[in-house]
């Protein structure tokens, strides 16, 4: 199909499609001079781009970096995961004092998790604990130990969903969607669970 | 102490303190004409305001609505919880079709959760599942069932932390911080757990 039809079917304007193509987020098949053909896979691609930008609030540069990893068959799934983590991490993670870092090391040791200190997971956990301390509620950072087992259960569920998929492209897409929209799902369901408990009490 | 000292100790500018006071987020004790006294509780209050605005990205109006509930001793803890949920919910929750709503009802029935349809938890869950469907990955919404038990475990942990606290003001503050910074904590720890699993595989 041509760009006009793709626009109609995907509900994305022709101007936006051309912009995404120029930014390298989407590539149609060139057929002759100044003509590009698109297939059904491009409708799905446009919806993914829209979700990453509108729902997850990613920048064009972050979307490009994530989709490059999804598209490149040479890139392993661990690398796709790491790039998805980087894309959704707050960009302004504050510097954290040595005392807080030590607390995070002890937390992960106690849980038996092997988390590299330069990973997004380690740095973001340290940043949140540091914020609790600054509000004068360091006591709340103890909840991190309590959260450990259920959070590991959730992460295992994520990995099971990935393991059920055979082809690499679907796996890569699943990792990206699971990471980025998965946080919204957990936030929504946690509210629902609290509403259930609050109602029952 | 006077506003200049409060500014120094809290690391918030005098202009910002006066702005927050005008917006009703903070009230010092008037002593005579054009003089206001502050105590150590105002340092903690300013840090909480900063965390809600800078970390959680709340608007001034949302912060005011949440803090009004925290301050008003007549407001029950369930109401504080609901206001905190509203404050962190995406403001532009899309309308969701009847078929998706039915799927969400079935999900919560299956989990045995009693979640009112007009609650933030229900509406946000429906919005996320609708997004999965639009990306052509309705299969991923099945993960919501898998997430149910660990998410309920997390919510029970949240309620335990609240139950351990005696005085209403601390409870209200714990609910707000737990709701709003708790999502960041879970997002961070989920990444850490996935990094552990990805490393071990």
């Amino acid at each position: 199909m041509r760009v006009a039809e793709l626009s109609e079917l995907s509900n994305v304007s022709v101007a936006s499609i051309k912009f995404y193509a120029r930014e390298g987020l989407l590539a149609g098949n060139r057929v002759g001079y100044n003509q590009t053909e698109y297939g059904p896979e491009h409708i799905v691609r446009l919806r993914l781009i829209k979700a990453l930008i509108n729902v997850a609030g990613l920048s064009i540069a972050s979307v490009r970096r994530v989709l490059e990893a999804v598209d490149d068959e040479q890139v392993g799934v661990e690398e796709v995961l790491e790039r998805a983590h980087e894309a959704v991490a707050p960009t302004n993670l504050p510097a954290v004092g040595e005392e807080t870092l030590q607390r995070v090391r002890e937390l992960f040791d106690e849980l038996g998790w092997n988390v590299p200190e330069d990973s997004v997971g380690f740095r973001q956990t340290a940043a949140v604990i540091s914020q609790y301390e600054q509000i004068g509620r360091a006591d709340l950072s103890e909840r991190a130990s309590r959260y450990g087992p259920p959070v590991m259960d959730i992460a295992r569920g994520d990995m099971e969903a990935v393991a059920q998929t055979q082809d690499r492209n679907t796996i890569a897409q699943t990792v990206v969607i699971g990471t980025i929209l998965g946080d919204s799902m957990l936030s929504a369901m946690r509210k629902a669970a609290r509403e259930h408990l609050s109602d029952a009490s």
Side-chain angles (χ1 to χ4, degrees), chain A residues 99-150:
Chain A
E99 214 175 305
T100 306
L101 288 178
Q102 188 52 34
R103 193 159 298 148
V104 179
R105 278 181 212 118
E106 284 164 12
L107 166 71
F108 290 136
D109 275 355
E110 182 198 322
L111 292 170
W113 298 5
N114 182 14
V115 186
E117 295 206 12
D118 61 349
S119 69
V120 178
F122 189 98
R123 288 184 295 127
Q124 200 180 336
T125 304
V128 177
I129 288 183
S130 162
Q131 279 148 13
Y132 283 139
E133 290 165 349
Q134 278 172 38
I135 307 170
R137 293 301 304 268
D139 60 309
L140 290 178
S141 68
E142 286 162 27
R143 290 164 79 181
S145 316
R146 173 69 178 76
Y147 282 161

Side-chain angles (χ1 to χ4, degrees), chain A residues 51-129:
Chain A
L52 296 180
I53 292 174
N54 296 338
V55 182
L58 299 196
S59 67
I60 296 286
S62 289
V63 173
R64 188 191 303 119
R65 220 179 121 67
V66 168
L67 291 181
E68 270 171 9
V70 169
D71 292 341
D72 184 348
E73 308 230 338
Q74 304 298 313
V75 172
V77 171
E78 283 83 21
E79 173 69 16
V80 175
L81 179 73
E82 190 59 28
R83 287 211 201 170
H85 282 182
E86 279 167 14
V88 286
T91 46
N92 50 353
L93 282 179
V96 163
E98 177 55 31
E99 214 175 305
T100 306
L101 288 178
Q102 188 52 34
R103 193 159 298 148
V104 179
R105 278 181 212 118
E106 284 164 12
L107 166 71
F108 290 136
D109 275 355
E110 182 198 322
L111 292 170
W113 298 5
N114 182 14
V115 186
E117 295 206 12
D118 61 349
S119 69
V120 178
F122 189 98
R123 288 184 295 127
Q124 200 180 336
T125 304
V128 177
I129 288 183

Side-chain angles (χ1 to χ4, degrees), chain A residues 145-197:
Chain A
S145 316
R146 173 69 178 76
Y147 282 161
V151 168
M152 182 53 81
D153 190 13
I154 286 166
R156 282 190 203 284
D158 291 339
M159 293 303 188
E160 284 158 20
V162 169
Q164 278 163 13
T165 317
Q166 296 297 324
D167 94 286
R168 186 218 161 267
N169 289 348
T170 312
I171 291 177
Q173 204 206 40
T174 302
V175 166
V176 169
I177 297 171
T179 303
I180 295 170
L181 294 187
D183 273 353
S184 307
M185 178 72 100
L186 290 175
S187 166
M189 289 186 72
R190 177 170 172 246
K191 292 193 190 81
R194 290 159 61 131
E195 277 152 8
H196 167 75
L197 292 174

Side-chain angles (χ1 to χ4, degrees), chain A residues 1-9 12 14 17 38:
Chain A
M1 72 187 101
R2 297 291 158 79
V3 67
E5 197 183 345
L6 177 65
S7 166
E8 220 178 282
L9 290 174
V12 175
V14 170
I17 295 174
Y38 297 94

Side-chain angles (χ1 to χ4, degrees), chain A residues 14-27 30 38 60 64:
Chain A
V14 170
S16 292
I17 295 174
K18 291 190 170 173
F19 171 70
Y20 295 152
R22 271 202 309 279
E23 292 288 334
L25 309 186
L26 179 83
R30 288 265 163 164
Y38 297 94
I60 296 286
R64 188 191 303 119

